[in-house]
Each structure stands twice: as C-alpha cells, then as structure tokens.
Amino acid sequence: AAAAFRSRLDSVRVNATTFDLFGYQLFDVNLGLFPGDNRWRMTLQNDQVAGTVQLSDNEADPLDVVLETVDIVADGSDEDPLLGLSVDDLLDADVVIESLMLDGEDYGRWSFKLRPEGEMVRVASLVAETKGMRIDSEDGLRWYPDLNNPRSVFDGEVVVDDMRACLAAWGYASGFEGENFRYQSSLVWPGSPLNLNLSQLEGSFAI
C-alpha cells in the first residue's frame, strides 16, 4: 500500500510554524516530503537548520539524518536546553551534522548513532572534529534524562594535534604547548550532553 501511494505522489511541501527536532524546538520550518524506494525523504530548512531525514518503510530501521548546518542560539538562561526530554521522546537515528554552530561559534562536524535504551539514551559511534580536537568513541555518550539527577557520561579517546591552538580555540590562555596528544577520557556532568560545562566536569584523563 505504501509503495502504491508513493507511486502516485510527486512531493509535498509545507511550512511548519513549529517543528520538534530531537527535543529542540524549531520555528518557521520549510518541510518537503519526497517518495523513494522503500522510504520517504523529508527535507527541512529554516534559519537554524538545513538537511534531510529519511524514514524507512521498515519500522526497525533507524532514521537516517544528515544535517548540513545546525545553528543553535542559546536563550540566555543557564537552563539545560534539553531539560524535560524523556527517553520515550526519542527515536533510533543515525545522525551526521556537517557544521554545528553554537551562538555563532563553529563546533565542527559530528556523527553518531542515537539509541534510546530503557532509562538511557546511548549516543554511540561518536566521531567529532571540533575546536582543534578529534573525539572518537564507539561507546560514545550515555545520557540518563529520566533520573532524579539527570547526567551524561562519556568514555572515549580525545586527540589534540596542537595543544596551544586547541586551548586558544576554547578561549583559554595557551601557556601549555605540545603536539599529538591522545587522552583516554572518562567524564561525567549533570544534565544532557548539551549541558556541558567545564566547571561541572568530573572524571579523569589518561595520556
């Protein structure tokens, strides 16, 4: 039935006043829906996001999300931007973000597999190149949003080719220099992955 419906449909284009992208509220989004082989392709674009989401006819398949740009603007408060989001609000998704911007700062390219599991959201196969460092972790992040004290946990490798340049990119004085640093990191912080604050980090680095 789905294939027959797709064969009669060229495309659908709408403008959405609001659109929820993995718990992040977007406004005034142009959406397009296009039929494909055994799947639908949805395009989305506004001032903050441009990309595609592919939905397979097989409900067991994850969403395939490729975002060319994501430009997040903080609301000026210290509140966790994903506060109130539950594991049940999320779907399995394979995600690529080609360019991540936060308040006008470039945070590079990210890719990961989003997997809600029980009380946890696993952000697996995490690979990122951001502000002079490369992050690579098969286990990636584990986020526990439904606990009384929500937290995020990261275990993986962080590679810094030029420590001086990396510290400068993060806004710190570059008194520490060196090249080709590799750190095995185990870190915990309160709230969601987007609630990362260096002053709240707990854990260890091993060179």
Side-chain angles (χ1 to χ4, degrees), residues 105-123:
E105 290 191 48
D106 186 359
Y107 281 81
R109 185 184 191 275
W110 296 72
S111 64
F112 52 87
K113 296 180 178 180
L114 193 69
R115 298 292 188 268
E117 301 173 359
E119 294 185 344
M120 172 183 69
V121 178
R122 184 180 299 279
V123 185

Side-chain angles (χ1 to χ4, degrees), residues 173-196:
S174 51
F176 183 42
E177 299 183 12
E179 297 180 347
N180 300 320
F181 284 91
R182 290 179 177 269
Y183 303 92
Q184 281 300 132
S185 309
S186 181
L187 303 170
V188 181
W189 62 93
S192 77
L194 295 184
N195 197 48
L196 180 61

Side-chain angles (χ1 to χ4, degrees), residues 79-190:
E79 186 174 272
D80 186 340
L82 299 184
L83 182 66
L85 199 65
S86 167
V87 174
D88 294 335
D89 295 325
L90 299 171
L91 300 172
D92 286 1
D94 295 346
V95 181
V96 174
I97 302 174
E98 297 290 354
S99 174
L100 174 63
M101 304 289 291
L102 177 59
D103 287 338
E105 290 191 48
D106 186 359
Y107 281 81
R109 185 184 191 275
W110 296 72
S111 64
F112 52 87
K113 296 180 178 180
L114 193 69
R115 298 292 188 268
E117 301 173 359
E119 294 185 344
M120 172 183 69
V121 178
R122 184 180 299 279
V123 185
S125 301
L126 175 62
V127 178
E129 295 190 14
T130 176
K131 287 181 171 284
M133 63 173 60
R134 295 195 307 279
I135 300 169
D136 193 343
S137 174
E138 184 60 34
D139 290 335
L141 274 162
R142 300 185 303 282
W143 171 31
Y144 301 86
D146 296 329
L147 302 179
N148 291 330
N149 296 302
R151 69 181 188 274
S152 296
V153 181
F154 170 79
D155 291 291
E157 183 179 67
V158 178
V159 179
V160 177
D161 291 330
D162 184 334
M163 181 59 71
R164 183 185 182 92
C166 180
L167 288 172
W170 287 95
Y172 291 94
S174 51
F176 183 42
E177 299 183 12
E179 297 180 347
N180 300 320
F181 284 91
R182 290 179 177 269
Y183 303 92
Q184 281 300 132
S185 309
S186 181
L187 303 170
V188 181
W189 62 93

